[in-house]
Amino acid sequence: MAQHDFAYRSSGSYLNVGRRDDAPYGLAGLTFDGAVTNRPGARFGPQAIRLASQMLCDATHPHFDTTPLDLLSDAGDLALPNTGIEAMRAALMPQAAELLRRHHMVWLGGDHSVTLPLLRALNQLHGGPVAMVHFDAHCDTWTSHFGEPSGHGTWVYEAMQEGLLLPRASVQIGIRSSGERAAREYVNEMGGRVYTARELRGLESPAQLAPVLGEIRARMAAAGNPPLYLTLDIDCLDPAFAPGTGTPEPGGLSSNQVLSIIEELADLNWCGMDCVEVAPPYDHAELTSNAASTFVWTYLCGQIAKRGRQSATAA
Ligand code: MN
Ligand code: MN
């Protein structure tokens, strides 16, 4: 295992919680950034997101009026090699499977190449493909990583080809980077839905976003509300909100747009989340890690609020 020792482990934990194997919700860091195409640094993401989370510990969420403090376990950063994508994925799979048996998981990246093995593990857990909401500036549907088969921009294509995703229940939000039409339109062509950042300009409040939210709900309902995975590439945000990332793309989403969507769709059948591509070396005033930390917190509080409503109904 010596070659699987990795250099950077964060100290502390998300929201200052420790590791608790019986907690319903879990969190783990994936400190791999060996598959980026531009600026590296996302291996430091989990550490920065955890540090930013400390501000969120002192009271309840203002919208969901709950807190994950007693229900969350932080498993720390998983032991992953930073030397190669296949070695990373091979090391990640069994660790992810074990955590998924215990908890509803949130994963902190790391670059976006971590999502493919997470989808494989989720498919094994749920016995089939899952639905997806994917926030990103990039479509991540390229068929090659500059000549290599896999990178942080190929995982959606690979996941579709492997049958890990339900195509009609796959939604992308915030897409805007340069890219050939075949890649940009891939998820639409498969029967899913791509919301470009341009299409969402000026739509920020729940009322303004109502048609978008309604269409996403309708897609999930038409698929029978299968387990739904949230993958949030922080570069979906405009660089004004998230400068600390490897491939920033101007003209992006606002923090409020992302929060409105996460909050309003909290009652869907979510089965987990990742937040990837936070690269602290390019951040300013911890803007990016604060945004990431708040999105994760909001997702968790939304799930806990839903869980509270369900147990109240059952009782
Ligand atoms: Mn991405
Ligand atoms: Mn991206």
Side-chain angles (χ1 to χ4, degrees), residues 39 234-235 237-249 277-289 291:
R39 310 189 298 199
I234 203 69
D235 70 29
L237 291 178
D238 190 273
F241 297 93
T245 193
T247 42
E249 305 281 355
E277 301 283 355
V278 172
Y282 317 103
D283 207 1
H284 297 278
E286 298 165 11
L287 294 173
T288 314
S289 49

Side-chain angles (χ1 to χ4, degrees), residues 124-209:
Q124 286 177 6
L125 182 75
H126 294 290
V130 296
M132 173 179 78
V133 170
H134 169 207
F135 286 92
D136 208 320
H138 309 91
C139 49
D140 289 358
T141 53
W142 284 279
T143 55
S144 94
H145 180 63
F146 294 90
E148 293 180 24
S150 201
H152 77 154
T154 61
W155 65 271
V156 174
Y157 175 77
E158 293 176 273
M160 286 286 189
Q161 293 293 310
E162 285 185 34
L164 304 176
L165 294 170
L166 294 163
R168 301 189 71 79
S170 294
V171 175
Q172 296 184 305
I173 303 173
I175 311 300
R176 63 187 181 279
S177 83
S178 65
E180 61 276 23
R181 177 174 293 275
R184 284 185 279 118
E185 290 291 327
Y186 178 77
V187 167
N188 282 334
E189 294 291 327
M190 294 294 288
R193 179 67 158 94
V194 180
Y195 291 99
T196 65
R198 190 169 195 278
E199 187 177 354
L200 298 176
R201 282 182 195 167
L203 307 180
E204 193 165 90
S205 70
Q208 290 168 324
L209 284 162

